[in-house]
Amino acid sequence: MKFSMIAFAGLVMSAEGLLTNPASSQVQKITDSLKDRAYVTRDIKTPDPIPEEGQEAALELMKTGRLYRYNVAPGEESVVSQCEKEICEYTGFKYCVGLNSCGSALMLLLKTTGLEPGGKVLSNAFTFGAVPSAIEHARGKAVYVESTKDHVIDIVDMEKKLKENPDCKHVLISHMRGKLADMSAIKNLCDKYDAILLEDCAHSLGVFWEGEHSGHKGIACAISSQSYKMINSGEGGFLLTDDPEIAAQTAVLAGAYEGLSAKHTTVPGPEHFEGKPTALPNYSIRMSNLAAAVIRPQIKTLEPRIETYNKRYNALVEKLESRVGDHLYIPQLTPGVTRMVHDSIQFNLDKKFTPEMVQAFLEECGAHGLPVELFGHKTNARNFVNWGFAPAEEPLPQTAEMLSRACDCRMPLMWDDEDFEDLGNVIIESIEKVLADNNML
């Protein structure tokens, strides 16, 4: 029986089609694409710049030499006082005191709400080391609560810890990377167990819970103006509250000695300051006029900057989930968060990634210009095992597991949209490279 050449060729092609493994073709396609890798050329540590208006204001201020907030004539408002008013207007709080850092603000949250030496403070096991440091600074004792895969405090474990520590009267919730847990549930638990709720809003300026700016579920909160936050003065912070006693104490402890509280505009009346300048210490942790001068114009630009951040974040998430969604998990917002600020991106590598594979992924990213941080790294200040000054007394396996594969990457405002294309491609290609090297594609 004879076949024509055309028929024979068709038979061969059909056989090849039957023998071809679609999965193998996909692996080959990915392998081929990895030969021409993306590379990030911009500095991931680029902070938001100071607007020209802030630069000019700082220069004019330096010409006068009046950098001290209280060096103003009677009836005049210092630059810090003007800044405090604008922060109040943006966040919806009645009282505000500018400080030299958010860490100082966190410490004063505890001091002004009656924390006794050795008093217990419940807080997230996943946060920045400045939070347990502030608890230690206030002479408290941290009790850590597990965190979830969504990088927020675990409500179930929080109630467990409150039950186990009936003498704990303070809860300091940290909104790490701007992510809010169920703040209504947290407030209910604090009320149920007679604990004072305080909020670390260092990362959550501009984030809203049920239509209200973050920080209002607690009796007071702190925000930051450190360089990698939404407002940048290098270092700086604000304590915000609607409670007049907390506000008055904060102003005096920060450095409003003698009658200097009269030079504040966002504190309660003089009756709340009676006896305080002699009864309370002066920690000299005030904000300077220079810091406030560079902050003020940044408050005006918060909304358009947040819009840009969120637009870029959403595009990046869509790209990651469509390409490598089976290999990573992007933390989800808690229902009740009505506006988020995405100035960075976090994701958890899938559980199939061994520690060696996680390290290989980080090295792949770094080799292509993108220094992705691992929250669970042995040197990371966000890893609770590194808080030797305030160690956890109980195992925190859930948090430890999450941190072991939780990655963090900033999204600098000054980058161009094309730079975020490169950023996304480096993450995707690094994941694919590690999986390909381990025959897992």
Side-chain angles (χ1 to χ4, degrees), residues 155-173:
I155 303 297
V156 174
D157 192 53
M158 178 180 166
E159 180 162 24
K160 175 177 177 286
K161 297 291 171 59
L162 284 168
K163 285 180 179 178
E164 292 173 350
N165 296 275
D167 54 339
C168 177
K169 298 303 176 187
H170 286 79
V171 173
L172 176 55
I173 297 295

Side-chain angles (χ1 to χ4, degrees), residues 129 131-133 135-136 140-144 384 386-393:
V131 177
S133 296
I135 295 171
E136 192 275 340
K141 179 179 175 59
V143 177
Y144 301 114
F384 65 87
N386 293 318
W387 304 337
F389 53 87
E393 294 188 349

